[in-house]
Amino acid sequence: MVSPKLMLGIGLMSGTSGDGVDVAIVRFDGGKIALLATGFLPYPAILRKEIMQASQPDGEAQLICRLNVELGKVFAAAAMLTAKKAGISMDEIRFIGSHGQTIRHQPVSGKGKISSTLQIGEAAEIAHMCGCLVVSDFRPADIAAGGCGAPLAPLAHHAMFADEKQDRIVHNLGGISNITWLPAGCGQEKVAGFDTGPANMLIDLAVSHFSKGKAAFDKGGKTAMEGKVDKRMFGYCMAHPYYSEKPPKSTGRETFGADYFGEILKRHKKVGKEDFLRTLCAVTAGSAVSQAVRFLKPQKKFRWVLCGGGAYNNAIVAEIGARLEGRGAVSLSGELGFGEKSVEPVLMAVLAHRTLHGLPGNLPQVTGAKMPMILGKISLP
Amino acid sequence: MVSPKLMLGIGLMSGTSGDGVDVAIVRFDGGKIALLATGFLPYPAILRKEIMQASQPDGEAQLICRLNVELGKVFAAAAMLTAKKAGISMDEIRFIGSHGQTIRHQPVSGKGKISSTLQIGEAAEIAHMCGCLVVSDFRPADIAAGGCGAPLAPLAHHAMFADEKQDRIVHNLGGISNITWLPAGCGQEKVAGFDTGPANMLIDLAVSHFSKGKAAFDKGGKTAMEGKVDKRMFGYCMAHPYYSEKPPKSTGRETFGADYFGEILKRHKKVGKEDFLRTLCAVTAGSAVSQAVRFLKPQKKFRWVLCGGGAYNNAIVAEIGARLEGRGAVSLSGELGFGEKSVEPVLMAVLAHRTLHGLPGNLPQVTGAKMPMILGKISLP
């Protein structure tokens, strides 16, 4: 539908940690992509709180309805602010790809059961305010084809990070953690990936708990770096059945949210703040590394590429390094051309670009879908 | 985007009464439309109940998330069943326009206030199951441009019912009632219209109350026909402030739903079932006619065209006839080529067809939007 080979698109990612919206302005030149600018618009505290309320199992319809529109306006503002800062006119932007804020993600398996997912952030608001075409809501088409609707990152990780000679594992640390397996020189069909479990979601809940709501996250992993791993708590957390499930699989706040956090807390009341946070970092790292080894079976030394907000948490990075035990070397994604916070929004631009060219955006071997699907819904300005 | 002049489309309408989905298969030949087939798939009782739960202010996120996918599957089934019955292959269908089930409709006015609306029934499910392009979610673009997101019917009413010589008022009796003003020979810019208030929504609540949940609606208005108008209750209901608000305006279950019904009931405990239903029919009729006279100011004799499920309620029809006091003659829409239950689903096909041709679907003078907007989101199969 969009014809010129060279075009600019914007990707918007609002992750499960619910802290704000990441923006990437991307140049597409045929199959090649280049990152032109990035931005981040944090949510005001009240909005963050309302998102958390709406994301509960009993999040209320009237709140969801209103937040859908409010978030659409915030997403549009984030796109426009980033373009303005970068000196790029919105007239040059051909399209926006928007993930939306996940309110629920309920993949289930079993006969007669219905998988579902719900992202909000009204695309019509973005299209109207920004004056350009928007592709949004990428996950439901994968679910319609029998997939989990997640993870969607692997295809874009392949475009950004695949290497001819080196096996790579891309590890995205958002609210949820997911990894992508990119064996050297592989085509899309050899890409593997899955959600490995919680990352910032649990850590942020812990920070909020220990600070009585005053702090939202552990910047740089500073507090966790002062603690050490509590072995009992680590053992309890690592025994979560999700880590043993075979991929394809995906997860979310429904499994690793406030209820689960409350359970951990109840059972480990004596663990102090620093050790508690350090242990959650170790669980994030340990569950990702152990599942990578178990399910991806790397045969030679690989590069472990970190992206997402959690890549700035030094305790997580340290725990990953230790647990790799020399099997792989850790890099930040920025060393490979895409800053840690840009990978997810770039993904959204890549998915939108594919949809507008009639190309599928899911990888069936990753999501479990029966077939490749053109993802998303197109809103005209 | 869709080029051939002649094409078939399907429209799907699931109204605020929440009883099922109406289907229309429509042939488009340039600007001309012809109705080829209609169908109706009633919701199973459990689904209807869940929709009502989800539509409450505190309708739960996890239910909304699941229902979105379930309803998408039901909509797809309704489209396919209707095509099959009509002997039309789905391969011939170029597109589907789907309204979705309204969960919330919250138009508000005032500085800093945010209007919003939420329809569910996953378009990706419809597109995948039916194997064709789907346009869905028509209201948010109008809201993004400052409109109420409703009513959207007037533009299609114009295409279906406008007459060169006769002034016409089209009255759609769904869960909510809306009227469209089509002065003789008028272009789109002279069309007026607004939601007039409740229709089947209150009546169905009353039927459910008096039958202790055993009946869902008063078929043919049979029970209401046995009653007479209770003057006190009629006066109380007609004093609702919505009826005095100047158009553009729209309303929904938030204003005329269970809470309001409970209020009427509490104040009129002594009114028996038959009289209660008859009075609600009189309120539906009386509020529509009085607002038509007050806001549309018809100067000569006009035709009052009834459509929607409520057109089969003889008590409503009788009350309208009486209250018109000779100012207009009542017809059913079927007499003018579009069966009473087909008008709303035809509208959805018309809106989808316009979107795919890059044409706006709202009328700013009707919805209050600042400009004409291309409505809806496009999902590819």
Side-chain angles (χ1 to χ4, degrees):
Chain A
M1 279 168 249
V2 178
S3 47
K5 217 181 144 207
L6 191 75
M7 61 173 81
L8 303 192
I10 291 182
L12 300 173
M13 182 69 198
S14 37
T16 40
S17 51
D19 54 349
V21 52
D22 281 298
V23 186
I25 305 183
V26 181
R27 188 181 61 215
F28 291 84
D29 183 2
K32 279 185 289 181
I33 55 177
L35 181 61
L36 301 190
T38 60
F40 177 69
L41 187 64
Y43 294 145
I46 173 72
L47 186 56
R48 189 180 163 134
K49 196 176 151 198
E50 288 185 330
I51 289 169
M52 293 302 151
Q53 286 170 350
S55 306
Q56 296 307 309
D58 63 349
E60 296 191 351
Q62 63 182 354
L63 177 61
I64 293 170
C65 182
R66 175 170 56 79
L67 275 185
N68 179 48
V69 172
E70 279 197 48
L71 282 169
K73 292 181 193 291
V74 171
F75 294 169
M80 291 190 289
L81 280 170
T82 303
K84 196 174 176 188
K85 264 195 191 169
I88 296 171
S89 159
M90 285 303 289
D91 293 342
E92 294 180 54
I93 304 296
R94 291 296 300 274
F95 65 89
I96 294 177
S98 173
H99 178 269
Q101 187 67 46
T102 295
I103 291 300
R104 303 292 300 166
H105 183 63
Q106 305 174 162
V108 288
S109 53
K111 210 176 163 231
K113 294 208 174 164
I114 285 189
S115 284
S116 58
T117 190
L118 186 64
Q119 280 79 39
I120 63 171
E122 184 48 55
E125 294 284 342
I126 308 173
H128 181 59
M129 286 174 67
C130 295
C132 73
L133 193 152
V134 175
V135 190
S136 63
D137 217 10
F138 297 102
R139 302 194 188 274
D142 183 76
I143 286 185
C148 293
L152 297 179
L155 189 141
H157 287 168
H158 179 258
M160 287 186 257
F161 301 115
D163 189 73
E164 277 306 308
K165 295 182 181 160
Q166 189 176 51
D167 291 353
R168 289 179 172 176
I169 289 172
V170 183
H171 186 193
N172 175 52
L173 290 152
I176 288 293
S177 150
N178 59 275
I179 56 174
T180 300
W181 172 232
L182 302 169
C186 75
Q188 285 180 9
E189 74 290 349
K190 295 277 175 153
V191 174
F194 51 89
D195 286 350
T196 65
N200 305 329
M201 187 174 282
L202 282 182
I203 297 169
D204 292 355
L205 281 166
V207 168
S208 177
H209 167 78
F210 285 112
S211 71
K212 298 197 179 3
K214 279 182 197 144
F217 66 107
D218 182 19
K219 196 174 177 184
K222 193 163 172 289
T223 311
M225 286 301 281
E226 290 164 13
K228 58 184 197 318
V229 176
D230 181 277
K231 279 190 185 155
R232 217 183 115 252
M233 177 176 154
F234 181 77
Y236 170 78
C237 291
M238 289 296 286
H240 194 290
Y242 180 77
Y243 307 137
S244 313
E245 279 176 35
K246 269 193 176 175
K249 60 181 180 177
S250 80
T251 189
R253 192 172 294 281
E254 298 69 22
T255 304
F256 292 109
D259 289 352
Y260 179 61
F261 173 71
E263 194 63 30
I264 300 174
L265 197 64
K266 201 178 73 186
R267 289 167 182 266
H268 305 91
K269 282 180 186 154
K270 289 184 184 160
V271 181
K273 176 175 68 171
E274 292 81 3
D275 290 358
F276 198 100
L277 288 176
R278 181 66 183 226
T279 306
L280 289 181
C281 292
V283 170
T284 298
S287 58
V289 171
S290 67
Q291 289 177 82
V293 171
R294 178 171 176 185
F295 296 123
L296 306 178
K297 300 188 175 54
Q299 298 299 317
K300 50 184 183 179
K301 213 164 167 174
F302 54 83
R303 184 172 292 268
W304 187 279
V305 182
L306 288 172
C307 60
Y312 302 128
N313 182 320
N314 292 321
I316 297 180
V317 178
E319 290 290 342
I320 289 171
R323 280 156 213 284
L324 281 175
E325 294 171 351
R327 279 181 290 238
V330 176
S331 298
L332 291 180
S333 65
E335 299 165 30
L336 303 173
F338 293 92
E340 293 70 38
K341 294 268 279 171
S342 77
V343 175
E344 291 276 293
V346 167
L347 158 66
M348 293 305 133
V350 169
L351 290 180
H353 185 257
R354 291 185 68 86
T355 297
L356 294 173
H357 286 77
L359 296 171
N362 64 337
L363 292 173
Q365 74 272 26
V366 169
T367 64
K370 289 192 188 72
M371 64 184 83
M373 298 288 287
I374 303 174
L375 306 180
K377 300 183 174 80
I378 302 167
S379 297
L380 303 173
Chain B
M1 278 169 249
V2 177
S3 45
K5 216 182 146 206
L6 191 75
M7 62 173 82
L8 303 193
I10 291 182
L12 299 173
M13 181 69 197
S14 37
T16 39
S17 51
D19 54 350
V21 52
D22 281 299
V23 185
I25 304 183
V26 181
R27 189 181 60 217
F28 292 85
D29 183 3
K32 280 185 291 181
I33 55 176
L35 181 60
L36 301 192
T38 60
F40 177 68
L41 187 64
Y43 294 145
I46 173 73
L47 186 56
R48 188 179 163 133
K49 197 177 150 198
E50 287 186 331
I51 289 168
M52 292 303 151
Q53 285 170 350
S55 305
Q56 297 307 310
D58 62 351
E60 297 192 349
Q62 61 183 355
L63 177 61
I64 293 169
C65 182
R66 175 169 57 80
L67 276 184
N68 179 46
V69 172
E70 279 196 48
L71 283 169
K73 292 181 195 290
V74 171
F75 295 169
M80 291 190 288
L81 280 170
T82 303
K84 197 176 175 186
K85 265 194 191 169
I88 296 170
S89 159
M90 287 303 290
D91 293 341
E92 295 180 54
I93 304 296
R94 291 296 300 273
F95 64 88
I96 294 176
S98 174
H99 178 268
Q101 187 67 47
T102 295
I103 291 299
R104 304 292 300 165
H105 183 64
Q106 304 173 162
V108 289
S109 54
K111 208 175 164 231
K113 293 208 175 164
I114 285 190
S115 283
S116 57
T117 190
L118 186 64
Q119 281 78 38
I120 63 171
E122 184 49 53
E125 294 283 342
I126 308 173
H128 181 59
M129 286 175 67
C130 295
C132 74
L133 193 151
V134 176
V135 190
S136 63
D137 216 11
F138 297 102
R139 302 194 188 274
D142 183 76
I143 287 185
C148 293
L152 297 179
L155 188 141
H157 288 168
H158 180 258
M160 286 186 258
F161 301 114
D163 188 74
E164 277 306 309
K165 294 180 182 161
Q166 188 176 51
D167 291 353
R168 290 181 171 176
I169 289 173
V170 183
H171 185 192
N172 175 52
L173 290 152
I176 287 294
S177 151
N178 59 276
I179 58 175
T180 300
W181 172 232
L182 302 169
C186 75
Q188 285 181 8
E189 74 291 349
K190 295 276 174 150
V191 175
F194 51 89
D195 286 350
T196 64
N200 305 328
M201 188 175 282
L202 281 182
I203 297 169
D204 292 354
L205 281 166
V207 169
S208 176
H209 167 78
F210 285 112
S211 70
K212 299 199 181 357
K214 278 181 198 145
F217 66 108
D218 181 19
K219 196 173 176 184
K222 194 164 172 287
T223 311
M225 285 302 281
E226 291 164 14
K228 56 187 202 314
V229 176
D230 180 276
K231 280 190 185 156
R232 218 184 113 250
M233 178 175 153
F234 181 77
Y236 170 77
C237 291
M238 289 296 288
H240 194 289
Y242 180 78
Y243 307 137
S244 313
E245 279 175 36
K246 268 195 178 171
K249 61 181 178 177
S250 81
T251 188
R253 193 172 291 281
E254 297 68 23
T255 305
F256 292 110
D259 288 353
Y260 178 61
F261 174 72
E263 193 63 30
I264 300 174
L265 197 66
K266 200 178 74 187
R267 289 166 182 268
H268 305 91
K269 282 180 187 156
K270 288 184 186 162
V271 180
K273 176 174 68 171
E274 293 80 5
D275 290 358
F276 199 101
L277 289 176
R278 181 67 183 225
T279 307
L280 289 181
C281 292
V283 170
T284 298
S287 58
V289 171
S290 66
Q291 289 176 83
V293 170
R294 179 170 175 187
F295 297 123
L296 306 178
K297 301 188 175 53
Q299 298 299 316
K300 50 184 182 180
K301 211 166 167 171
F302 54 83
R303 185 172 292 268
W304 185 279
V305 183
L306 288 172
C307 60
Y312 302 129
N313 183 319
N314 292 322
I316 297 180
V317 178
E319 290 289 342
I320 289 170
R323 281 157 212 284
L324 281 175
E325 294 170 352
R327 280 180 290 237
V330 176
S331 299
L332 292 180
S333 64
E335 300 165 31
L336 303 173
F338 293 92
E340 294 70 37
K341 293 268 279 172
S342 77
V343 176
E344 291 276 293
V346 167
L347 158 65
M348 293 304 134
V350 169
L351 290 180
H353 185 257
R354 290 184 69 87
T355 297
L356 294 174
H357 288 77
L359 296 170
N362 64 337
L363 292 174
Q365 74 271 27
V366 169
T367 64
K370 291 192 187 73
M371 64 184 82
M373 297 289 287
I374 303 174
L375 306 180
K377 300 183 174 80
I378 302 166
S379 297
L380 303 173

